[in-house]
Amino acid sequence: MTRLYNRRQRVSDAMTRRLPAYYRHLRLLEKRGVQYISSRTLGEEMGLTDSQIRQDLSSFGGFGRQGRGYQVSALRQTIESILGLDQGHHVVIIGAGRLGTAIAAFRGFSNVGFTIAAMFDANPAVCGTTIEEIPVLPIDEMEAWSKEHPFQIAVIAVPKNAAQSAVDAACACGVRGVLNFAETDISVPEGVLLRSVHLSDSLMALSFRMHEEEIISGQKDDWL
Amino acid sequence: MTRLYNRRQRVSDAMTRRLPAYYRHLRLLEKRGVQYISSRTLGEEMGLTDSQIRQDLSSFGGFGRQGRGYQVSALRQTIESILGLDQGHHVVIIGAGRLGTAIAAFRGFSNVGFTIAAMFDANPAVCGTTIEEIPVLPIDEMEAWSKEHPFQIAVIAVPKNAAQSAVDAACACGVRGVLNFAETDISVPEGVLLRSVHLSDSLMALSFRMHEEEIISGQKDDWL
């Protein structure tokens, strides 16, 4: 079987973005009872080209069969494993304000195998409560708590000015990945992975595409 | 001046994702008082290659000067215009639950020139209130309201099963772009742009990179 890492090369950012989309779509196909799918149909459904699909999926090994296409369930399982979703990662959310609460209420994380084990906050008024059955604990107890309840990922949902200290506290607990929702630059020590989510980027990208449509359709032509 | 659209070609998805990142970074540089920046330094700060930066920015015209680099403020203004941020888009949020409230409280949208004009919800208990000074109105009054207060973008923050009808209602108001946070497939009529935000994709991508690190560092080698 071909290996994705047979040259020990890192996977591109673009591919890293497509992997979760493949995973979501394959789950949907399984739900619909689809057993095999051609690269062409998969491409049409996902808005990717035929050749892109074949190139991406060939790196995971020979799941495509002449005339039958990809075996949906096997491919879903492979991508699940590649994404590390079968490892049962435990996640904590730092910040139990509006954003943290919305993230806790969001079912999507547990649907793909992540367990939100606890939330942490500096505000004594919310500590001791639960949000969506997730306990909210004092941030200064996080390190002690982590000894009994190891976690691998911290989601940062605190205001900008508290973001770096939240990350530092998570790193002191031996966290391996940080998902940052605070719209500010933060740094992590060597060996810890950081991914920042910029919610406004999506809105800017949408605005760009709306604008692009105007230009292409000739309604507007004088912007540059 | 070179035109980004001189061949009337659409910009790639990858470039569409980089544009907001350039914009954010240039704003940061302006705040820091930086007037000129080389492609090399910009690349290092943004985690892109020198040649990627030069290729991307050359499509916007000749802002780079030999020995001086790019003029930060002019480049920021150009990208602002390309992204349509100078158009003062009005946005409504459909869904005043946890996610909608978190989005309303998020300063990032107004920071980049979007005005959140109103929120709409089906629950009478929240209608008539304000969230972060944004009025919450009944969803069935949206169309009438839009006649007096035209908006271009709708943010969908309702549960899955209400997502399509929320989108339909927004489209009936003449919306041109939809930013969908409901983790479900929705469809829009021809001419309306749709962008879906999958919050769990970021967590999956992070998990993948954590997993990839293990494989590269040789701690784990038997996953495929």
Side-chain angles (χ1 to χ4, degrees):
Chain A
M1 192 184 282
T2 320
R3 275 165 172 275
L4 187 57
Y5 289 101
N6 50 5
R7 286 179 214 156
R8 302 252 157 184
Q9 274 180 343
R10 278 169 208 239
V11 163
S12 72
D13 273 349
M15 177 68 167
T16 303
R17 264 187 302 266
R18 284 197 298 275
L19 276 168
Y22 280 122
Y23 181 69
R24 276 190 282 104
H25 200 79
L26 290 164
R27 294 234 316 193
L28 205 69
L29 290 171
E30 269 189 306
K31 254 192 200 170
R32 286 195 216 142
V34 178
Q35 290 189 296
Y36 290 88
I37 192 161
S38 68
S39 53
R40 189 172 172 170
T41 310
L42 188 58
E44 278 167 8
E45 293 185 4
M46 291 184 64
L48 294 170
T49 64
D50 209 12
S51 66
Q52 179 76 77
I53 299 268
R54 281 198 305 270
Q55 190 189 319
D56 283 353
L57 301 189
S58 71
S59 36
F60 312 146
F63 288 91
R65 280 193 214 165
Q66 197 68 35
R68 274 190 116 174
Y70 297 98
Q71 215 258 299
V72 171
S73 173
L75 191 55
R76 189 266 304 151
Q77 278 173 43
T78 303
I79 296 182
E80 190 168 280
S81 162
I82 288 169
L83 288 170
L85 305 181
D86 52 356
Q87 307 215 336
H89 287 306
H90 280 223
V91 178
V92 303
I93 300 172
I94 306 183
R98 281 174 167 167
L99 183 60
T101 302
I103 294 169
F106 174 64
R107 307 276 169 210
F109 290 163
S110 53
N111 278 346
V112 292
F114 298 96
T115 304
I116 302 178
M119 299 177 75
F120 291 92
D121 204 287
N123 176 7
V126 295
C127 295
T129 65
T130 62
I131 294 173
E132 300 284 321
E133 301 179 20
I134 301 161
V136 183
L137 307 171
I139 181 80
D140 53 17
E141 290 176 17
M142 188 167 69
E143 201 171 340
W145 183 88
S146 74
K147 307 260 191 271
E148 301 287 315
H149 311 83
F151 57 91
Q152 295 79 44
I153 296 174
V155 175
I156 307 300
V158 296
K160 279 184 190 185
N161 56 5
Q164 187 62 56
S165 65
V167 172
D168 294 344
C171 292
C173 298
V175 92
R176 294 187 38 235
V178 171
L179 189 64
N180 174 37
F181 280 90
E183 300 247 331
T184 186
D185 284 335
I186 52 173
S187 58
V188 289
E190 187 77 27
V192 175
L193 281 160
L194 169 67
R195 206 166 174 97
S196 289
V197 179
H198 297 278
L199 289 177
S200 45
D201 279 17
S202 318
L203 198 54
M204 287 196 260
L206 178 66
S207 166
F208 169 69
R209 288 287 189 204
M210 283 162 59
H211 199 196
E212 186 187 40
E213 289 293 311
E214 280 178 4
I215 296 153
I216 288 173
S217 66
Q219 291 169 40
K220 218 178 155 189
D221 202 38
D222 56 351
W223 60 291
L224 237 183
Chain B
M1 191 183 283
T2 320
R3 274 165 172 274
L4 187 56
Y5 288 101
N6 50 5
R7 286 179 214 157
R8 302 250 157 184
Q9 273 180 346
R10 278 170 207 238
V11 162
S12 72
D13 273 349
M15 178 69 167
T16 303
R17 264 187 302 266
R18 285 197 298 274
L19 276 168
Y22 280 123
Y23 181 69
R24 275 191 282 105
H25 201 78
L26 289 164
R27 294 235 314 194
L28 205 69
L29 290 170
E30 268 188 307
K31 253 193 200 168
R32 284 195 217 141
V34 178
Q35 290 190 296
Y36 289 88
I37 192 160
S38 69
S39 53
R40 189 173 171 168
T41 310
L42 188 58
E44 278 167 8
E45 292 185 4
M46 291 184 64
L48 294 169
T49 64
D50 209 12
S51 66
Q52 180 76 77
I53 299 267
R54 281 198 306 268
Q55 190 189 320
D56 283 353
L57 300 189
S58 71
S59 36
F60 312 145
F63 289 91
R65 281 191 213 165
Q66 197 67 35
R68 274 189 117 173
Y70 298 98
Q71 215 258 299
V72 171
S73 173
L75 191 56
R76 190 266 304 152
Q77 278 173 44
T78 302
I79 297 182
E80 190 167 281
S81 162
I82 288 169
L83 288 169
L85 305 181
D86 51 357
Q87 308 215 336
H89 286 308
H90 280 223
V91 178
V92 302
I93 300 172
I94 306 182
R98 281 174 168 168
L99 183 59
T101 302
I103 295 168
F106 173 66
R107 307 276 169 209
F109 290 163
S110 53
N111 279 345
V112 292
F114 298 97
T115 304
I116 301 179
M119 300 177 73
F120 291 92
D121 204 286
N123 176 7
V126 296
C127 295
T129 65
T130 61
I131 294 173
E132 300 284 320
E133 301 179 20
I134 301 161
V136 184
L137 307 170
I139 181 81
D140 53 17
E141 290 176 18
M142 188 167 69
E143 201 171 341
W145 182 88
S146 73
K147 307 260 191 270
E148 301 287 315
H149 311 82
F151 56 91
Q152 295 78 44
I153 296 174
V155 175
I156 307 301
V158 296
K160 278 184 191 187
N161 56 4
Q164 187 62 55
S165 65
V167 172
D168 294 344
C171 292
C173 298
V175 92
R176 293 187 38 235
V178 171
L179 189 64
N180 173 37
F181 279 90
E183 299 247 330
T184 186
D185 284 335
I186 53 174
S187 59
V188 289
E190 187 78 27
V192 176
L193 282 160
L194 168 67
R195 206 166 174 96
S196 289
V197 179
H198 297 278
L199 289 177
S200 46
D201 279 17
S202 318
L203 198 54
M204 288 195 260
L206 178 67
S207 166
F208 168 68
R209 288 286 191 206
M210 284 162 58
H211 199 197
E212 186 187 39
E213 289 293 311
E214 280 177 3
I215 295 154
I216 287 173
S217 66
Q219 290 170 40
K220 219 180 153 183
D221 202 38
D222 56 352
W223 60 292
L224 237 183

